[in-house]
Amino acid sequence: MESLVLNCIGNKSPGIVDTLISSQVDTVGKAITNCYLLVTEIDFLNNLKDSEHDIVRQKFISRLCDASLFIIYYCSDENDYIMFDVRGDGVFRIDCEQKRLVEVRQNDLLRISERHSEQSYLKSTGQYHFATPSHKHTNVFFRLGDSIQNKDELDRIAFWLLQQVESSDFILIDSWSIAALPLRAMQLIGKVIPFEALPAHPAKKKRECYSLLKSNSRLISQSNSPLLIVSVVSSGSLIQNFTNIVKSISFKANFSALAVYSFEEKDYSLCKLAHEVRNYDFNDCEHCKSGSKAIEIHPSAYYIKDMRDAGVCLKKALAEGNRAFFDKYSKNLDDLLFFHKGDPDKNQKHYAYFIDYTKLLSLEQFRQQIETLTKVSIAEKATIVCLRVDYLVEYLKEIKDCNVIELGAPSHIESPENIKILLSSNQIVVYESTVINGEFLTLINTRIRENNSLAGKVSDLLFLTGLFRPSSKSIEQRLNRSLAYKDPKVIRNFKYIEMVVLPDPKMGECPWCVERNSLKDVLKPSFMKTGILDLRLELLSSLECGIRGSDALFHFNESTKNICLGNESYLAPMGTSIAGVVAAVASGVQLLRENSDEKNRLAPRFPYIQSLSLDNFTNFDEGLIRAAFIRVATSIEFGMIEKEKIIQYLISQMGRDNQELMVSEYFLAMICGKFPANSHLPDEIAQKVRMAGPTIKEYLGL
């Protein structure tokens, strides 16, 4: 059961309610028992009370599936929150229990904190934690300013401040980052109240806080109810330190304190955050003892004070995790690999990296592995459950005399005829040709476990995929836990014939999507499209065909399309084509993103930026590998400081004979925003860029 809180703040017409219900009722995800409207305008209330709105009220209640509808109205005259019950026959004032009001407020503010949790919560890892301005070391830091990202969030927080703001005649806030809150609250109640922001946390800048209070002594001395608004309270030291300063100045008026959020239950807090916080004194910190680095929080901006890049490098031990696949199929990769392609079996669903499974099935080395697995893992007269029949299914059917259930949909496995086949089978083989996350396998497993006719009656389950291409090796661990866990009654296994880790970015984040969209932005429409970039854009425009072979990278001219990998690389064998090298580098970078060694993981996230280091370009001196790194890494993964080092180094390398592929990808990286447009390129390189056309010359300042 769940409550829904709708923002009607500042609105005079009840007509907005219908739109809000339509847009938000499905986002809750649970059955709604109560719906609350936050209201600040008396006209809204009067209009909804009017008998002419009987049908409107009934419509609202009906759309809520008969959930109770209430109004929480802030009344300036009473300086209080008043609750009304909205029914089909009218709007009635009811007694509002403080406990109920607190519950609605808690849920409303908690949703705001969770909505932008990735931006507003700084969370420690084994590598770093946070040193707060109060000299406490902590595992979690929450910055309210980063949770206020639109008017709705500003309105809601301001609404719950109205009672205290209306009661005050002088306001102090802990940071200018939340200045919008008292300003919006004043706007809603039509009142102007003088306010200031503390220069910093009082524990850090006691003298400056003291001076600020002294400079406002006339306003404070004339004040009857000054108010301190704190965005987030963790240990409570800010309020305690501030109270001590106020006492030392001997003001007659006593400041009241209000915290919007707190990590612990506080009488003066509007909402308790859900995250558990662990605070330690700086001289006895468990985080520090475990080797974690303390990163300082700025005492007034409340951002990370010493944020910096830390470069990470793709090393041999990690890259070789996928080497077997590229060794085995290096001569076939131009036929197997596609980039930026739609899957014809899934309504052209977009994949940045696509391996043609049908062609993989036709290769002798793959068929040999099928034979090996069949001898060891497939029982005679097993039943194969699959979405479609292919060579592997036909082979098993012939060699092992298997039954085949070809499902039109996963639910069809529970049909009476299929259940009968499954119960008479020595082994059930749930087969999916290509697996990234294993959704189909997991779904079939769930249906078998939850079906009364099958649960406990199946003795041998094998979940099999031909090509397992997860984005992380942890997915294999997850599937083993969910599909192949130890079961005293059922033999459970998860097996694959071939595995390679590859990125699985969403459409739009795919490197070739980024290229296509960037080219669209800079190329001027023309009747005759003959430039190399126009031709490139045309090539990128068809998901049905995708990108393959040497076109995985951009070329200034045809001469670079036949470049192959040199000897002694730990990414792939000598002679691997451009497409194979791009896939191998993409695989290596993905392993770097998912590295179990936290200190060497590619993690370009605030507050501790671990980006690609210059070593990735100095360790590999072939232009082909450097070009592949530029192509597959995202803009943010180049960091800032490391990016500057990389750019300077690459520019120094551009004149070398074997670097032309790197130069063409560097050029595209400027268009795509990965690298800044640079007018200081070597003359011979700038000339090649100019040949791409006048539009690009102007765009890049060349």
Side-chain angles (χ1 to χ4, degrees), residues 145-157:
D146 289 332
S147 281
I148 307 172
Q149 298 195 14
N150 56 52
K151 185 174 178 293
D152 176 70
E153 288 146 4
L154 175 62
D155 277 350
R156 288 171 185 267
I157 300 173

Side-chain angles (χ1 to χ4, degrees), residues 582-636:
V582 170
V585 172
S587 178
V589 170
Q590 187 63 23
L591 289 170
L592 200 56
R593 291 170 181 138
E594 303 293 334
N595 197 345
S596 58
D597 180 359
E598 189 177 282
K599 291 184 179 179
N600 291 300
R601 183 184 304 151
L602 179 59
R605 292 184 290 274
F606 186 83
Y608 201 74
I609 307 300
Q610 293 188 168
S611 56
L612 287 172
S613 73
L614 174 60
D615 291 345
N616 292 291
F617 295 89
T618 57
N619 290 355
F620 300 102
D621 64 353
E622 293 181 61
L624 170 55
I625 296 177
R626 290 172 173 174
F629 267 108
I630 295 172
R631 163 68 58 169
V632 305
T634 65
S635 179
I636 194 173

Side-chain angles (χ1 to χ4, degrees), residues 49-68:
K49 285 180 178 179
D50 196 300
S51 59
E52 293 182 3
H53 283 81
D54 288 352
I55 296 176
V56 174
R57 291 192 300 272
Q58 291 167 2
K59 181 181 179 183
F60 294 163
I61 295 169
S62 174
R63 296 199 71 147
L64 288 166
C65 299
D66 298 320
S68 299

Side-chain angles (χ1 to χ4, degrees), residues 4 6 15-28 32 35 37 59-60 62-64:
L4 182 64
L6 301 180
I16 190 176
V17 177
D18 191 47
T19 303
L20 290 173
I21 291 175
S22 300
S23 63
Q24 296 192 38
V25 73
D26 293 331
T27 65
V28 177
I32 298 169
C35 179
L37 310 180
K59 181 181 179 183
F60 294 163
S62 174
R63 296 199 71 147
L64 288 166

